Amino acid sequence: MDKYLKSDLENINELLEKVKNNACTFLKDIDEIPTFSKDSKGYNNSQLNQEGLGGEKALEEFIERFYKGIVSSAGAKYFGFVTGGSTPAALMGDWLVSAFDQNASGRDNSSGTKIEEETINLLKQLFGLPQEYSGAFVTGATMANFVGLAIGRQWVANELGFDIAKNGMYNLPPIKIISAAPHSSILKSLSMLGMGRDNMHYIPSINGREAIDIKALENYLKQNNGTPCIVVASAGTVNTVDFDDLKQIRELKKKYNFFLHVDAAFGGFAACSPKYKKLMEGIDAADSITVDAHKWLNVPYDSAMQFTKHTKLQIQVFQNNAIYLGELSENPDFVHLTPENSRRLRALPAWFTLKAYGSNGYQEVVERNCSLAEVLSKKIEESKNFKLLADTRLNVVCFTINLGDHSATLEEIQQFLKIVNEDGRAFFTQTVYKGTPGIRAAISNWRTEEKDMEIAWEVLNKAYKFYLR
Ligand SMILES: Cc1ncc(COP(=O)(O)O)c(C=O)c1O
């Protein structure tokens, strides 16, 4: 055995203790750690040594060269993208995932896959999904959308008498995909699936909103004359958390022949609160559903779920047949359900956090985040420096800077956000909402409280004054 491997094995307790101390320091200081990294020192590519350093020295080098560049994106004042942190219990689970290093691909390998099945079951309860859905963990909502659309693609082909999984798409007419405000990852998935980004058929939204105009959708489906197609519904758009009316889409599904994929990456968590769960009514009509765990479930990155009612089609697409991997049975291994073959036990952090905080815990996080979005929204409404670009629904505030004589261009928004984000106390990202450049504040971290919104507001206003100098 290599001498460093041997000594690290002998000293594993001390090494992990050191790692734990570093992690705990980070978590203790997270409120003070910048949300943005200006540090570019230490990123020169180092050479691979012939002789290793051993774990302790590797840790020292990492801390010295890279720690300063680690940002508090998991902290309370990071409002970019849709970013959760990691709850204490999720972190406990995540550490164990690496320590145990199970391959969650086959059901008989270990209890790993049982944990995944149980976690999927807990999540179905959290989201109020009927038992008939099966589910699996993937790396993120992009992958969950990819899996859902792959199943939808197979469904359309089957309806037309083709089997894409076996024969490819060579003899198939273009598959129609229909949506109003799909997330960019839906288009990326269309590209990856050979369906083509340009084959998205856009249906108008309701005036002044991002939700699909149901009449326009029905007209499209009528004219489509029964040709099987895929409708992608949004349960929480990224700019305004708008929901397509799933109840009405459920009614359309009784009349028209389409596969319904619902991207509920973070909007799905509306189901956790009696106040918002109406938005998810009709979700049971979905043929496949995407929900992200590394967003509002607040587990570490690399975690999302895809749910479907069409496990058979899913197996047609994703089966991975090799004798050494085991037989394809009635209750197929995860290796036959998702793009990956070997898989990390990424359900475990979700299991830990669900067990630790239960549905009440998630109701509290969702409602607190949404009420903080309302707090920010109210401040913006009352301010001369900023204005809302849309009504605030749930946890995202979409707004712009007030420049008086003209509306801010994307370049101006970028210059403004550079000042904001370089402050390091809060972080926001740019967007374009219905053609107007703006700023998004997505509040989805379990730590965020009113005091954090106060600091964020101070940062925004300080930057505004600086910008206008
Ligand atoms: C609605 C929606 N779908 C999909 C995604 C993609 O998520 P991921 O980054 O986990 O792939 C996002 C990310 O913000 C999203 O908001």
Side-chain angles (χ1 to χ4, degrees), residues 24 47 115 152 161 300 332:
C24 289
Q47 295 295 311
I115 295 169

Side-chain angles (χ1 to χ4, degrees), residues 8 11-20 55-56 59:
D8 280 359
N11 296 320
I12 190 82
N13 284 1
E14 290 80 357
L15 287 176
L16 290 184
E17 193 62 30
K18 283 195 166 104
V19 168
K20 187 196 86 180
E56 186 172 354
L59 177 65

Side-chain angles (χ1 to χ4, degrees), residues 81-82 139-145 182-186 234-238 263-267 290 292 294-295 301 303-304 440:
F81 315 104
V82 185
T139 53
T142 300
M143 250 317 144
N145 282 335
H183 186 265
S184 55
S185 60
I186 295 288
S234 299
T237 55
V238 81
D263 182 353
F266 63 104
T290 287
D292 233 331
H294 57 217
K295 291 187 166 59
Y301 272 110
S303 190
R440 289 174 65 256

